[in-house]
Amino acid sequence: MESKLQYKEGDLFSCPSTDSLAHCISMDCKMSAGIAVMFKKEFGGVKELLAQQKQPGECAVLKRDGRFVYYLITKKKYNEKPTYETLRQSLEAMKAHCLENGVTRLSIPRIGCGLDKLYWKNVSAIIEEVYQHTDVTITVYSLSSAQKRDL
């Protein structure tokens, strides 16, 4: 089976402007730590996200400059940890939106694996499974060790 995931070292926000973006947040949309802080700074829209009233296992969406920014709701409160099940459900919800809206390119960080402490081996297997019968290509961005030091 051909992999849906491509890997790239660098800044997620330097991805092509035609790519949609995705990351995980809590239902309360706090986005006060990790890469979520950068999403909040880059795209704003916290009130817009809260107004969508999405539950864990769902996906909130903003449209910015002709592309979609997906917020995978994987837990109720910012200080909780997600489960693989809520992550899978939110990925399924995002897939449905991608297919309805003709999205074929997604750029993501190693979702759920930073502060949320899920294992990338498991997360990447779920992503592969969810997206296997789609035309969606997913680029996974990781910071280089030099970039991590600068954070």
Side-chain angles (χ1 to χ4, degrees):
M1 175 179 91
E2 187 194 342
S3 176
K4 286 281 158 200
L5 299 173
Q6 302 172 347
Y7 291 88
K8 192 165 186 174
E9 201 172 85
D11 178 1
L12 173 66
F13 297 102
S14 69
C15 75
S17 59
T18 48
D19 283 22
S20 287
L21 293 154
H23 73 122
C24 300
I25 64 169
S26 51
M27 200 170 98
D28 56 18
C29 299
K30 287 275 187 262
M31 294 188 275
S32 56
I35 197 164
V37 174
M38 286 141 65
F39 269 84
K40 187 159 73 170
K41 201 168 119 190
E42 188 79 18
F43 303 110
V46 175
K47 283 192 176 114
E48 225 177 307
L49 291 167
L50 284 166
Q52 294 178 38
Q53 297 186 327
K54 297 293 184 180
Q55 301 294 312
E58 296 181 335
C59 177
V61 187
L62 295 177
K63 188 158 191 185
R64 295 289 184 262
D65 300 321
R67 67 175 167 181
F68 295 103
V69 184
Y70 294 104
Y71 295 80
L72 303 169
I73 312 293
T74 57
K75 55 194 179 180
K76 275 192 162 42
K77 292 196 162 59
Y78 72 94
N79 57 350
E80 295 175 353
K81 296 290 176 231
T83 64
Y84 290 107
E85 193 45 41
T86 55
L87 179 66
R88 174 188 292 278
Q89 290 166 348
S90 58
L91 284 164
E92 292 280 2
M94 177 170 69
K95 176 179 84 172
H97 188 279
C98 286
L99 297 178
E100 278 167 32
N101 293 277
V103 173
T104 56
R105 297 189 49 82
L106 266 178
S107 283
I108 63 171
R110 288 180 181 244
I111 55 175
C113 296
L115 300 169
D116 282 338
K117 305 268 189 271
L118 296 178
Y119 291 102
W120 180 248
K121 193 179 85 165
N122 300 348
V123 170
S124 60
I126 292 170
I127 296 170
E128 292 277 7
E129 207 178 291
V130 168
Y131 281 88
Q132 68 182 343
H133 299 298
T134 69
D135 295 334
V136 181
T137 301
I138 301 166
T139 305
V140 182
Y141 281 80
S142 305
L143 292 177
S144 68
S145 18
Q147 288 170 307
K148 283 181 189 154
R149 276 197 307 274
D150 294 341
L151 289 179

